[in-house]
């Protein structure tokens, strides 16, 4: 079984900072891309940032220059440093990872999601 556990969500004032963490655990062979998505009330889930196992990153235009994604491959953990937060960043933030597991001697890649962590930015 594989689990993604997020932490770090909180209530913060506009202009403040938060750091989200997401740790993967279980029967993991390796992890390819990891990322953060968010879903605000009444809106669809959207990409925030992704990072490959080699460290290449992609950001949504709305967070470029304010958010930084990073990962610790030894700890199977991905982070999202969020600075200069705005009220429009308020959402549930979800971690996603493309994880390779071994089943019956074969490798399979599955997409896993965390349970979500609430980020609320007050004006």
């Amino acid at each position: 079984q594989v689990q993604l556990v997020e932490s770090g969500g909180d209530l913060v004032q506009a202009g403040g900072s938060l750091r989200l963490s997401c740790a993967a655990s279980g029967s993991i062979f390796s992890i390819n891309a990891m990322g953060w998505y968010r879903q605000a009330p009444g809106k669809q889930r959207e990409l925030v940032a992704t990072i490959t196992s080699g460290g290449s990153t992609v950001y949504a235009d709305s967070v470029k220059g304010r958010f930084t994604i990073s990962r610790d491959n030894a700890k199977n953990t991905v982070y999202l440093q969020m600075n200069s937060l705005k009220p429009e960043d308020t959402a549930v933030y979800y971690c996603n990872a493309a994880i390779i597991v071994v089943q019956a001697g074969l490798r399979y890649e599955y997409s896993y999601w965390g349970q979500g962590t609430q980020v609320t930015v007050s004006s």
Side-chain angles (χ1 to χ4, degrees):
Q1 299 291 343
V2 173
Q3 264 192 319
L4 297 183
V5 178
E6 299 130 332
S7 61
D10 206 344
L11 169 64
V12 64
Q13 288 190 331
S17 298
L18 283 175
R19 189 191 195 210
L20 305 183
S21 299
C22 172
S25 63
S27 301
I28 297 170
F29 180 80
S30 63
I31 304 178
N32 287 334
M34 304 183 82
W36 291 94
Y37 293 73
R38 66 186 181 187
Q39 187 166 19
K43 294 188 177 181
Q44 289 190 332
R45 190 172 298 189
E46 63 176 5
L47 169 73
V48 176
T50 63
I51 184 168
T52 67
S53 57
S56 296
T57 58
V58 173
Y59 293 93
D61 287 342
S62 59
V63 306
K64 281 180 182 176
R66 300 188 298 123
F67 291 9
T68 301
I69 189 170
S70 61
R71 63 191 282 175
D72 185 332
N73 291 331
K75 295 182 179 179
N76 290 337
T77 299
V78 63
Y79 306 96
L80 186 68
Q81 178 66 43
M82 304 186 293
N83 298 328
S84 302
L85 283 161
K86 304 175 181 180
E88 51 263 44
D89 294 318
T90 295
V92 178
Y93 283 70
Y94 296 91
C95 173
N96 176 265
I99 296 177
I100 296 176
V101 301
V102 176
Q103 297 174 333
L106 298 177
R107 301 176 191 175
Y108 297 90
E109 181 180 287
Y110 296 103
S111 178
Y112 291 90
W113 291 90
Q115 81 286 354
T117 186
Q118 178 70 47
V119 172
T120 304
V121 184
S122 63
S123 56

